Amino acid sequence: MHRQYSESGSSALDALVPLHGAHILLVEDNAINQQVACELLADAGFLVEVADNGQIAVNMVRARPADQAFDVVLMDMQMPVMDGLTATRLLRQDPLYQSMPILAMTANAMQIDRNRCTEAGMNGFVSKPIEPDALWKALAQWIRPRAGLGTRPVRVLPAAQANAPQAPHLPTLLHGVPGLGLALGLQRVMGKESLYLDMLRMFVAGQASTPQQIRALLVQGDTATAERLAHTLRGVAGNIGASALQQAATEVELALRTGDSLATIDILLLPLHSQLAALLEALHNALDSLVPLVQAPTAIGPGFASTYRQLQALLQDADSDSLKLLDLHQAEFKIALGPAYGDVDSAIRSYDCEAAIQLLQTALPPALFK
């Protein structure tokens, strides 16, 4: 059973007022998508927890008492460790979770993908890149009213964030960046310029070598991971409004999915690589000019627990992305780790993952983030 969304004189956000305080589980492995969704959902009045993959999501759902169950799960389809379809099937096997609303978050609009989601037990779909109004309508449709809802949680900003200096006018800062649709990107974050800048920084830090990684994975015969990387690039390019790059990544993803030859995929990787390189160079120049105006945070943010768990998982897999994640969230890790930060940083840079895990767990026991 679910309620039909009505637009009778009210905005999509207005329909969510009686649902303020609902608990949402966001299942998403990409840091940019996590940040965008968490910011939008928290601003809309929801309490959000993050799982980096389907296995973590299943564990988190099962760990909650029945009277504190999540009101809705937003489930990405393609993730490492366990994908969203597998996680949904596992949850639906338990009578306790057969009626829990689970919405697929997917950039795949083809009917065959939607059918797979429905067959797995998902209730509906939220397209990626996220369009806020579409997300609000889906949540209004599927979150069930219950006692305790209707009160907006209080959000307390760290002092550094509340008093941060204003960034330069974005059209001026980003003028001349090729392939970047600023208006579209801002629309997808409801005009939040600071969030958009964070997205751009994470994009620059995380996507520079994606075409090369896809090519290397294909040579190794790992088509599934190569497809997931193309899918991720497609999604984050859409988030920032880089529509041409998004389309180029889509073509690579589809070619990988349909088993096209390496020669064909090489041809598709050429425009992907050239467009990405031009965009990254221009963003580097624009964002470097902003550095003196941005203050480092003096407190860790509410999403740090998820970042910490993600770093632990990457280190356990001996994944070189652990260094990217540490660099991306350097300021928060320096605050959280204190004097231990230097040792953790050195261990990760020397690829001593076991030592890094031990140092992390000593400085920040995992129990603190459960």
Side-chain angles (χ1 to χ4, degrees):
M1 294 293 292
H2 65 274
R3 297 179 295 113
Q4 293 295 323
Y5 176 82
S6 172
E7 290 192 31
S8 54
S10 297
S11 71
L13 271 176
D14 290 338
L16 300 179
V17 172
L19 306 175
H20 282 171
H23 289 253
I24 295 176
L25 176 60
L26 172 68
V27 191
E28 169 64 62
D29 64 305
N30 179 262
I32 295 179
N33 294 334
Q34 285 180 0
Q35 180 159 356
V36 172
C38 284
E39 286 278 343
L40 294 179
L41 291 167
D43 277 355
F46 297 110
L47 298 170
V48 188
E49 294 190 42
V50 178
D52 296 321
N53 60 61
Q55 183 62 68
I56 294 174
V58 170
N59 295 342
M60 290 175 68
V61 169
R62 290 173 174 171
R64 291 178 75 92
D67 61 348
Q68 297 177 29
F70 291 106
D71 293 289
V72 68
V73 178
L74 299 176
M75 183 79 76
D76 188 23
M77 286 182 64
Q78 294 181 284
M79 295 175 287
V81 183
M82 182 184 290
D83 62 69
L85 296 174
T86 303
T88 300
R89 292 189 191 99
L90 284 175
L91 290 173
R92 293 307 192 208
Q93 291 173 6
D94 190 325
L96 286 174
Y97 310 121
Q98 286 181 356
S99 62
M100 172 182 286
I102 301 177
L103 306 181
M105 296 183 67
T106 176
N108 296 328
M110 292 189 296
Q111 189 60 45
I112 188 172
D113 294 305
R114 291 178 177 262
N115 291 343
R116 290 168 64 208
C117 293
T118 301
E119 290 165 3
M122 295 179 173
N123 301 98
F125 310 90
V126 176
S127 296
K128 293 197 302 185
I130 293 173
E131 296 291 350
D133 277 355
L135 176 60
W136 307 149
K137 291 176 184 179
L139 295 177
Q141 180 179 355
W142 286 104
I143 296 177
R144 302 180 181 95
R146 61 170 174 81
L149 295 186
T151 302
R152 175 182 283 272
V154 176
R155 294 192 74 195
V156 179
L157 294 177
Q161 185 176 345
N163 300 319
Q166 291 296 312
H169 188 47
L170 283 188
T172 302
L173 176 70
L174 300 173
H175 175 71
V177 174
L180 185 66
L182 176 59
L184 180 58
L186 285 173
Q187 174 187 322
R188 287 177 172 152
V189 294
M190 299 184 68
K192 295 166 68 70
E193 293 192 359
S194 60
L195 175 57
Y196 186 66
L197 284 172
D198 284 344
M199 287 167 54
L200 294 180
R201 291 189 186 95
M202 287 190 286
F203 180 84
V204 169
Q207 296 300 321
S209 62
T210 297
Q212 296 91 323
Q213 289 178 332
I214 291 172
R215 183 63 167 74
L217 287 164
L218 284 176
V219 171
Q220 297 167 17
D222 190 352
T223 305
T225 303
E227 181 184 340
R228 180 165 56 81
L229 289 183
H231 179 80
T232 297
L233 177 55
R234 168 188 178 181
V236 295
N239 275 335
I240 65 173
S243 299
L245 180 63
Q246 179 186 11
Q247 181 58 37
T250 299
E251 292 176 6
V252 172
E253 179 188 3
L254 293 177
L256 290 166
R257 180 181 300 183
T258 55
D260 286 3
S261 68
L262 182 58
T264 298
I265 294 170
D266 275 341
I267 292 172
L268 295 174
L269 283 172
L270 287 174
L272 181 69
H273 182 272
S274 61
Q275 289 180 39
L276 179 60
L279 177 59
L280 289 173
E281 181 180 5
L283 284 175
H284 267 300
N285 294 335
L287 296 174
D288 283 350
S289 70
L290 184 63
V291 169
L293 299 171
V294 178
Q295 294 179 344
T298 59
I300 61 176
F304 181 73
S306 174
T307 304
Y308 172 83
R309 288 193 295 267
Q310 188 175 3
L311 181 61
Q312 287 272 14
L314 290 171
L315 289 170
Q316 288 168 0
D317 293 339
D319 193 322
S320 61
D321 281 350
S322 57
L323 181 56
K324 294 180 183 177
L325 186 69
L326 183 71
D327 286 342
L328 186 61
H329 298 276
Q330 181 185 78
E332 286 189 310
F333 274 109
K334 282 184 175 179
I335 295 166
L337 292 169
Y341 175 83
D343 291 336
V344 172
D345 180 78
S346 296
I348 293 177
R349 290 184 189 281
S350 60
Y351 300 102
D352 190 346
C353 295
E354 290 185 8
I357 291 171
Q358 291 176 356
L359 289 165
L360 268 179
Q361 292 180 345
T362 300
L364 295 172
L368 292 175
F369 299 101
K370 290 183 177 179

